[in-house]
Amino acid sequence: MFISYMKAENLKLKRTFARKMIGIVPLLTVAFSFIMNMEYFVYLTFNWWSILFMPMMIALFCALAHVREKQASNYNGIYSAPVDLRLVWLAKASVIALYSLASQLIFLVIMFLIEMVVPLFPVGPFPVIAACFLLWATTLWQIPFCLLLAKKFGFAVSLIVNLFGCLAFGIIAATKAYWWAWPWSWPIRAMSPTIGIHPNGLPLEEGDPLLSMTVIPIAIIISLLLFAVLLMISGKSFAFAVVQKSKQEVA
């Protein structure tokens, strides 16, 4: 049953820019870093991927999903259909999570293709693979968060808030002891011990405290917990909005 919900949500995004972003955004990230600085290519690529391109992509996925519903029937199609609204919301988040994962895999393939032609990895292949899946896991919470923002406040707010959270405070918080208290710093902080990169994009020196691997399980656990909590809260909010609208129409 839930698979049917996911198929429906995936179909809604079939002819939107969201599908194209899965490949375009990682390609732009790699190309941007390649042009900027060949010497620190891997460090810069993962840095830009975690602080700018990934949060932008996730916010756009969510915003485009909202815009699609608005353009189709202003959510009236969902409101009037005999469906479980919480499952609809969960399906939306799940499809975007799969899009994000697919984009990570494309990003990984591009990185390894470049490495085959021009060896640039300062670390082995395993840290690069681990970094991609860490970025995916530690940004999952942004999906229900941005979906809710887009639904309540629109396209622009979802994008601005997610980018602002990373660029304005995420980089700063990632170097502090309180990094765990600011969700946007989690993927940035997880890259330090995995790739050996400072949140400012430069390689870390041996012995740097940011290289401590203890932050990785913490980042994964709190991210998954926040993802579950936000998914539950946003799902209830979505279903509640429908109930309120139905009452208003009856009145």
Side-chain angles (χ1 to χ4, degrees):
M1 181 180 178
F2 181 63
I3 299 298
S4 299
Y5 281 83
M6 288 186 64
K7 286 180 178 178
E9 293 304 319
N10 182 49
L11 190 61
K12 291 175 187 177
L13 295 171
K14 185 177 181 180
R15 295 183 181 179
T16 66
F17 186 62
R19 292 273 189 94
K20 297 176 183 178
M21 282 199 304
I22 294 173
I24 290 174
V25 177
L27 186 60
L28 283 176
T29 308
V30 174
F32 181 75
S33 298
F34 197 84
I35 294 169
M36 288 290 290
N37 194 319
M38 285 280 290
E39 183 180 358
Y40 296 116
F41 169 70
V42 172
Y43 298 116
L44 284 175
T45 304
F46 274 97
N47 187 246
W48 284 114
W49 187 230
S50 63
I51 69 173
L52 176 61
F53 287 99
M54 266 209 74
M56 176 186 70
M57 180 180 68
I58 289 172
L60 285 173
F61 280 150
C62 297
L64 288 170
H66 165 67
V67 169
R68 189 67 168 175
E69 291 286 3
K70 290 280 287 184
Q71 291 176 340
S73 62
N74 196 26
Y75 286 91
N76 289 324
I78 293 176
Y79 294 164
S80 59
V83 295
D84 187 324
L85 293 168
R86 293 186 185 181
L87 283 182
V88 170
W89 190 257
L90 179 59
K92 284 183 183 294
S94 299
V95 167
I96 294 173
L98 289 176
Y99 281 14
S100 178
L101 179 60
S103 191
Q104 287 288 354
L105 294 174
I106 290 172
F107 175 81
L108 189 61
V109 169
I110 294 171
M111 292 290 286
F112 275 101
L113 287 175
I114 291 176
E115 173 67 8
M116 289 171 63
V117 179
V118 186
L120 295 168
F121 286 8
V123 294
F126 180 74
V128 173
I129 296 170
C132 285
F133 285 101
L134 271 174
L135 284 175
W136 179 71
T138 53
T139 55
L140 280 174
W141 67 270
Q142 294 179 17
I143 296 171
F145 178 75
C146 289
L147 275 173
L148 187 60
L149 281 182
K151 175 71 171 60
K152 287 186 173 294
F153 305 108
F155 185 105
V157 172
S158 175
L159 181 61
I160 291 169
V161 169
N162 213 38
L163 285 178
F164 189 79
C166 285
L167 294 173
F169 300 109
I171 298 172
I172 297 172
T175 63
K176 308 298 182 181
Y178 59 81
W179 67 271
W180 54 270
W182 188 252
W184 284 277
S185 75
W186 300 344
I188 303 170
R189 182 67 180 85
M191 292 303 95
S192 293
T194 311
I195 298 296
I197 180 178
H198 192 280
N200 64 14
L202 296 176
L204 291 168
E205 296 182 1
E206 189 175 348
D208 193 296
L210 292 177
L211 290 171
S212 172
M213 299 291 281
T214 57
V215 302
I216 292 177
I218 296 172
I220 294 173
I221 291 169
I222 58 180
S223 179
L224 294 179
L225 286 174
L226 183 59
F227 174 59
V229 170
L230 288 176
L231 201 56
M232 181 178 66
I233 293 172
S234 58
K236 286 183 177 180
S237 175
F238 181 67
F240 179 75
V242 177
V243 173
Q244 291 298 102
K245 184 171 181 179
S246 297
K247 287 181 178 179
Q248 289 174 1
E249 289 175 350
V250 171

